[in-house]
Amino acid sequence: NPTPSPSQDEQSQIISRFQQYLQINTTQPSPDYQTSTQFILSQADSLSLESRVIEFVKGKPVILLKWPGSDPSLPSVLLNSHTDVVSFEHSKWIHPPLGGYVDQRGDIFGRGSQDMKCVGMQYLEAIRRLKDSGFRPKRSLYLSFVPDEEIGGNDGAKKLAYSDVFKDMNVEIVLDEGLPSLNENYRLFYAEKAPWWLVIKSKGAPGHGAKLYDNSAMENLFKSIESIRRFRASQFDLLKSGLKSEGEVISVNMAFLKAGTPSPTPSEAEAGFDIRVPPTADIESLEKRIAEEWAPASRNMTFEFKQKVIPHDDLGRPLVTATDSSNSWWILMEEAIKKANGKIEKPEIFSGATDARYFRQLGLPAIGFSPMANTPYLLHDHNEVHL
Ligand SMILES: [Zn+2]
Ligand SMILES: [Zn+2]
């Protein structure tokens, strides 16, 4: 049964709790997990949820909350959110990134306001309303607040997913983050692209900056950059023409460039790229392209991956959650959004990486959903706002 809309007073309390969470500095690379843990635990207490804190890795708390179901024999539901946020350039924000400032329009400013402290708080607020209405779930509901998603999740969601604790939880479906939409439709994600963080390096003899010669480190690197940029443009064209969606193209962005001495010309140069690979992409041909065109040994080049996630399961099948009637959770999710008068886009592949991949790796269905319609995409941007 629908619960009544929150009163003015309740609304301002909801916003104030969200502000408190935004004000905790969980910015990578040195997030204050102690304070965020205390905050989440205090929320859990106020909701009479069971809680435990597990440090699979010291200083990296996974907070697990539980609302026990009336039938413990049934598989459970997990709502996952990460507690860390990416860094910011303070001076580029119109309101302080750790302020949780609410402007006259009601926009809430803060790093993490979209990615994804809003979602963690929405889980908690939804539970608050359900509890107030007297609802009790049949299945147990778990909430995990995990560290380090923004740096790969190895010490957070990955550890949880592969733990005995997780086995005992008997989870059947996971919800994790999604993306906002500019229109009135909510977006649902059934898969995600895999991050490949590539560094290519070139070497060459240094020399006099006034001389034209082949095989310098800078020239070798630039040939690669040109080739990578042509590939980027071809993928971008597919997107612009509408032949492929954002989740279906391989994206490449140059992330850094480390090269150069005024004189002599440098003997080493390197560049880093953030590549995102859809689960349906031809991985072998991309690997070949990197080895043969982007960092060929014939041009004195080497490469390494700082991160290389293969978006496949152990049997080599694309890591995707079913969106048809074979997955009753997907159908249920769509129905729940419609019941709340929400409209839905067709299912999409998330363009970035989320912790959902660790749960999909286990064979579990996972749905990405950050309920933000009519909202610009400001994840990782200056002036991240929640409307
Ligand atoms: Zn996120
Ligand atoms: Zn993020």
Side-chain angles (χ1 to χ4, degrees), residues 149 179 191-195 276 349-354 377:
E149 189 281 337
L179 295 171
E192 62 184 54
K193 296 208 253 184
R276 303 299 173 114
I349 298 173
F350 191 95
S351 51
T354 77
Y377 180 146

Side-chain angles (χ1 to χ4, degrees), residues 193 228-246 248-253:
K193 296 208 253 184
I228 294 169
R229 284 181 52 90
R230 272 197 303 277
F231 177 79
R232 182 185 193 272
S234 72
Q235 293 290 305
F236 207 175
D237 282 345
L238 289 170
L239 179 60
K240 287 177 191 161
S241 68
L243 285 172
K244 286 197 172 179
S245 65
E246 203 188 0
E248 290 167 338
V249 293
I250 300 174
S251 68
V252 187
N253 285 307

